Amino acid sequence: MAQKKLVIKATAGADAPERCSQAFTVAAVAVASGVEVSLWLTGESTWFALPGRAAEFELPHAAPLPDLIEGITAGGGTVTVCTQCAARRGIEEKDLIEGARIAGAQVFVSETMADGAQALVY
């Protein structure tokens, strides 16, 4: 049986805080549960791949985004910023938090179509 992989796309940031928080929370819980996780940041969530930006996010009764991101990356999960989203915001690979990368639709499609992959979009 193939290892299951969870590909999560976060499409919202501070503009839709509950949806944003859900994506990061599910990703962190999945990593902690031993699931291979790839978290994609698109739209306004792209900003959270920059140092210090996740600390600015606040949502009552939710885990702090910096803690969730740390749990994802420390547990072997990947964080990817959408190429077009980064370009529209003037973000370059050198600007990202440690362990994050920039990649495009071809990589996203490849990850979501892999055997054993499950994709969630928030």
Side-chain angles (χ1 to χ4, degrees):
M1 182 172 168
Q3 166 80 19
K4 287 284 275 184
K5 179 173 186 172
L6 187 57
V7 182
I8 299 173
K9 181 182 270 192
T11 62
D15 56 327
E18 289 181 313
R19 189 163 25 118
C20 175
S21 180
Q22 288 172 351
F24 284 86
T25 301
V26 169
V29 169
V31 167
S33 301
V35 176
E36 183 182 350
V37 172
S38 177
L39 176 63
W40 283 73
L41 306 181
T42 66
E44 289 300 298
S45 71
T46 302
W47 294 114
F48 299 129
L50 297 177
R53 293 301 283 270
E56 298 172 5
F57 180 85
E58 293 183 13
L59 181 64
H61 310 290
L65 280 192
D67 294 350
L68 296 173
I69 294 170
E70 172 65 24
I72 294 163
T73 57
T78 61
V79 176
T80 305
V81 173
C82 157
T83 301
Q84 291 182 15
C85 298
R88 280 189 283 274
R89 290 161 178 81
I91 298 170
E92 299 178 16
E93 193 109 21
K94 67 178 176 55
D95 302 324
L96 302 179
I97 58 174
E98 185 176 338
R101 66 178 179 164
I102 295 175
Q106 181 180 4
V107 176
F108 180 77
V109 170
S110 175
E111 287 187 12
T112 59
M113 298 306 296
D115 287 339
Q118 172 71 45
L120 300 174
V121 178
Y122 288 91

